[in-house]
Amino acid sequence: MTVRLFARLRELVGTGEMEWEVGGGSTVDDLWRDLAFRHEGLDAFGRSVTPAVNGELARRGTPLSEGDEVAFLPPVSGGAR
Amino acid sequence: MCYSGTMEDRRFAVQSAPLDAARVSRLAHGETPDGDGAVVTFVGTVRGARDGRRVVALEYEAYEPMALRAFERIAAEASAEWPAARLAIHHRVGRLTVGETSVVVASAAAHRTEAFAACRYAIERLKQMAPVWKRECFEDGSAWVEGAAVDADDEGARLEARRRSCG
């Protein structure tokens, strides 16, 4: 399964794309917690990050399957004016 | 790097090559059988200052396939509000210097009222929910600009864009 990271998340982890071994019953949250465990600074980011699975917005509880592409999206840059 | 929608539909694109506002405008205008009476083109450019600090460049990054879907969704939303309006949206990625064009939104419609409204709506929605990030580079450092969490289904945000588009 492929994991995509962008902007500040990409920099914190040191790569924008990685492979992740998906276990039976794994969810987006399992993946996020695994990443946060291995990379300092991700935890503080948690609430503002939006997950997407195969290009569609997802939730922390969304189940994962082999071959999925999961992306973690930090807050976007759009200004109000 | 250049991603776009289906082969026949180049109205939506994310690209590292410089943007051509006239081309985006033509793509919106298309070849409507009745002939549109108005095209409004918004061109977003790199501003040279933020909070009094001089900006030397902006670095844009996008999740391209999802950004294209967001553009298509925005166009569909605009069509639901202003059925006669047809949008084209091109966004640039990579390092851009001050004055360069980062985004072009063109909106064609039978009359200027819908064309202006749909164009304004589209750029507001794009800023809210398209997975595009930018890093501001100053003379003495840089920082990612982070606004709202991505939530395309946030109805409040959609209504705010709708409100702004109607003045």
Side-chain angles (χ1 to χ4, degrees):
Chain A
M1 205 198 65
T2 307
V3 183
R4 302 284 308 270
L5 302 161
F6 298 93
R8 199 145 67 90
L9 280 181
R10 173 176 56 73
E11 291 184 340
L12 277 169
V13 173
T15 179
E17 188 166 340
M18 62 170 77
E19 289 300 314
W20 194 69
E21 199 67 44
V22 60
S26 294
T27 63
V28 168
D29 194 50
D30 295 327
L31 165 57
W32 175 259
R33 283 203 256 175
D34 187 42
L35 283 176
F37 177 72
R38 288 187 285 137
H39 300 278
E40 208 176 325
L42 282 196
D43 226 7
F45 229 115
R47 286 175 186 279
S48 61
V49 171
T50 304
V53 177
N54 301 325
E56 300 285 352
L57 291 182
R59 296 183 181 282
R60 287 299 173 91
T62 301
L64 299 175
S65 321
E66 197 52 54
D68 281 346
E69 179 170 285
V70 179
F72 289 107
L73 315 175
V76 291
S77 301
R81 62 194 172 120
Chain B
M1 164 172 39
C2 176
Y3 296 83
S4 61
T6 52
M7 285 304 286
E8 63 276 11
D9 195 348
R10 299 282 180 189
R11 291 188 296 142
F12 309 106
V14 173
Q15 64 185 54
S16 52
L19 299 178
D20 178 351
R23 177 162 180 267
V24 182
S25 169
R26 279 196 302 277
L27 287 167
H29 202 233
E31 292 168 9
T32 49
D34 298 333
D36 288 324
V39 185
V40 171
T41 306
F42 170 81
V43 178
T45 58
V46 177
R47 200 173 47 236
R50 177 175 175 98
D51 302 331
R53 288 176 87 186
R54 200 163 88 82
V55 171
V56 293
L58 289 185
E59 290 172 3
Y60 282 92
E61 181 174 330
Y63 184 19
E64 287 95 346
M66 207 171 159
L68 290 174
R69 273 196 226 179
F71 296 170
E72 286 169 3
R73 175 176 172 154
I74 290 166
E77 286 179 2
S79 293
E81 296 277 357
W82 303 279
R86 178 183 153 94
L87 285 166
I89 303 172
H90 287 194
H91 206 299
R92 196 168 170 202
V93 289
R95 187 178 172 91
L96 278 64
T97 54
V98 173
E100 282 194 275
T101 298
S102 54
V103 61
V104 179
V105 177
S107 159
H111 301 284
R112 64 184 179 279
T113 306
E114 305 97 281
F116 271 110
C119 186
R120 179 74 196 267
Y121 178 84
I123 187 63
E124 296 295 337
R125 286 298 272 153
L126 185 152
K127 295 280 188 176
Q128 288 173 352
M129 68 166 195
V132 176
W133 300 271
K134 68 180 175 188
R135 184 220 286 274
E136 289 177 324
C137 303
F138 304 102
E139 288 164 311
D140 57 349
S142 68
W144 288 103
V145 180
E146 290 175 350
V150 182
D151 184 1
D153 297 325
D154 181 346
E155 186 62 6
R158 195 188 69 77
L159 291 174
E160 172 62 14
R162 176 78 171 76
R163 191 188 62 77
R164 288 181 177 213
S165 62
C166 295

